[in-house]
Amino acid sequence: YHRLETTISNQGLLYVLRNGIEDMGCKLKVCFFKPESELNPIATERYEANILGCTRQFRYSTANTNTIDMVLSVNGIPIVALELKNQLTGQDYICAINQYKNDRNSKEFAFRLNHRFLVYFAVDLYEVQMTTKLEGSKTYFLPFNQGSNGAGRDGGKGNPQNMDGGYVTAYLWENVLQKDSLLDILQKFLSVQDKKLIFPRYHQMDVVRKLIADVRQNGSGKNYLIQHSAGSGKSNSIAWTAYRLASLHDEQNKPIFNSVIIVTDRTVLDAQLQATVSGFDHTLGSVVTIDEKKNSQDLKDAIN
């Protein structure tokens, strides 16, 4: 435990979940992620052995009796906090946000950035909001809604009615927080950028997964056009897609692409993309950024 805690303090929880810890020459994995192909049955077996837990009324401190409504854990490590509110009892997601801001001391051990919880959700019957960092009254929440007409369809804010007759926000636990989805987010979406922990917004996660699913089924050679509004996180959506395409296998377990090239016509976006992609876990030398210090010959060499 001491080695686990030391490594988390030095490298962050996300790093430990992805890379494990090392003590006296022994490497220990604390989480196994889904392999890219089914060629290695041991890797699949280890992935299936992960234990995901759900705890109601989670006590997080010895200094008080406060509890979080619901906490999700991976192999005993708490990673997702949810405050659940119900309009029928006169409360909504804003009450949950205020609870995080006013009743959750950001200096508590459990609430340190990238130390235990990686995301905090405020949920009611109609809305979902999330943040990755608690800092008192300055805590900033982002919407985690699908949009009024559903993900990928023009519309307004909020969520569509649940056509199955369940809660409007049921997509959060029926889709996003299911085992395969949650571990996929841990492995391939969450990232640390400029000392900030980035969790995908719903539309980003949705577009990346739709693209990957279509390419896996239909192979290379198709064109796609993605509409992203200003400030909606284009850099991360592009980077997450490129990162996945580079390791994507088809249903016959064969890699689909040899390489992925990102081309952009905006200097600011170019710099953001380079920083984002380079920040993902990758084999040394497999990602090359062509910045202002390089020329067309460097680009040619990188492509070759």
Side-chain angles (χ1 to χ4, degrees):
Y1 175 79
H2 174 73
R3 176 59 59 204
L4 174 75
E5 183 54 34
T6 301
T7 312
I8 290 174
S9 296
N10 293 336
Q11 305 280 359
L13 176 57
L14 187 59
Y15 173 91
V16 169
L17 288 170
R18 289 174 175 169
N19 299 282
I21 60 176
E22 186 172 342
D23 192 30
M24 299 180 70
C26 296
K27 292 184 177 180
L28 302 170
K29 296 284 282 184
V30 298
C31 184
F32 280 94
F33 294 107
K34 196 168 188 175
E36 294 298 336
S37 70
E38 298 173 356
L39 297 175
N40 186 343
I42 295 177
T44 302
E45 184 181 320
R46 288 174 174 168
Y47 169 72
E48 295 295 339
N50 286 308
I51 298 173
L52 276 76
C54 177
T55 306
R56 294 288 308 276
Q57 301 304 323
F58 182 96
R59 282 190 63 175
Y60 58 84
S61 175
T62 56
N64 55 55
T65 57
N66 291 350
T67 62
I68 299 170
D69 287 339
M70 187 174 290
V71 164
L72 306 183
S73 60
V74 173
N75 299 324
I77 302 172
I79 56 168
V80 177
L82 300 107
E83 291 292 355
L84 308 172
K85 303 304 172 188
N86 184 343
Q87 275 86 348
L88 300 177
T89 59
Q91 293 186 310
D92 59 15
Y93 75 92
I94 295 175
C95 299
I97 288 175
N98 289 333
Q99 199 169 13
Y100 280 122
K101 287 183 175 182
N102 304 321
D103 299 338
R104 305 288 179 252
N105 186 346
S106 58
K107 295 180 181 178
E108 279 277 0
F109 177 88
F111 299 143
R112 297 177 196 169
L113 179 67
N114 196 13
H115 199 87
R116 285 298 185 271
F117 295 111
L118 298 175
V119 64
Y120 304 87
F121 285 107
V123 189
D124 64 22
L125 301 182
Y126 304 101
E127 297 258 352
V128 181
Q129 301 258 333
M130 62 92 176
T131 187
T132 58
K133 184 179 183 181
L134 296 188
E135 44 185 346
S137 60
K138 294 188 292 183
T139 303
Y140 185 69
F141 277 80
L142 285 167
F144 196 79
N145 296 319
Q146 303 176 79
S148 61
N149 289 324
R153 300 184 184 92
D154 284 344
K157 62 182 181 179
N159 289 296
Q161 289 297 312
N162 189 333
M163 301 310 292
D164 295 327
Y167 293 122
V168 169
T169 49
Y171 65 91
L172 181 64
W173 56 88
E174 291 178 352
N175 179 4
V176 180
L177 298 178
Q178 288 294 331
K179 176 180 177 177
D180 286 344
S181 174
L182 182 55
L183 287 171
D184 177 68
I185 291 170
L186 285 179
Q187 181 186 16
K188 293 183 176 177
F189 277 108
L190 269 163
S191 61
V192 179
Q193 301 170 23
D194 298 324
K195 297 182 179 179
K196 296 178 182 177
L197 193 59
I198 305 297
F199 191 93
R201 292 172 68 179
Y202 190 88
H203 67 273
Q204 294 175 306
M205 184 186 69
D206 179 71
V207 73
V208 171
R209 287 178 170 173
K210 281 177 178 174
L211 278 169
I212 297 306
D214 194 90
V215 175
R216 179 179 282 122
Q217 182 177 348
N218 296 305
S220 61
K222 292 185 67 177
N223 294 324
Y224 304 87
L225 176 64
I226 309 302
Q227 177 182 314
H228 250 305
S229 58
S232 58
K234 289 183 290 293
S235 290
N236 282 323
S237 295
I238 294 168
W240 284 321
T241 302
Y243 180 56
R244 285 167 178 258
L245 291 174
S247 59
L248 188 63
H249 287 63
D250 61 21
E251 292 176 356
Q252 283 73 47
N253 294 313
K254 295 179 180 178
I256 296 175
F257 298 104
N258 298 111
S259 57
V260 177
I261 302 170
I262 302 175
V263 183
T264 174
D265 65 348
R266 289 174 54 199
T267 308
V268 174
L269 185 60
D270 190 43
Q272 289 177 342
L273 279 166
Q274 289 174 357
T276 303
V277 176
S278 297
F280 288 136
D281 292 332
H282 60 267
T283 305
L284 194 64
S286 65
V287 176
V288 181
T289 57
I290 307 299
D291 53 25
E292 67 274 5
K293 300 171 188 172
K294 296 179 181 177
N295 55 33
S296 56
Q297 182 62 44
D298 294 315
L299 175 60
K300 178 184 175 184
D301 293 341
I303 293 171
N304 287 335

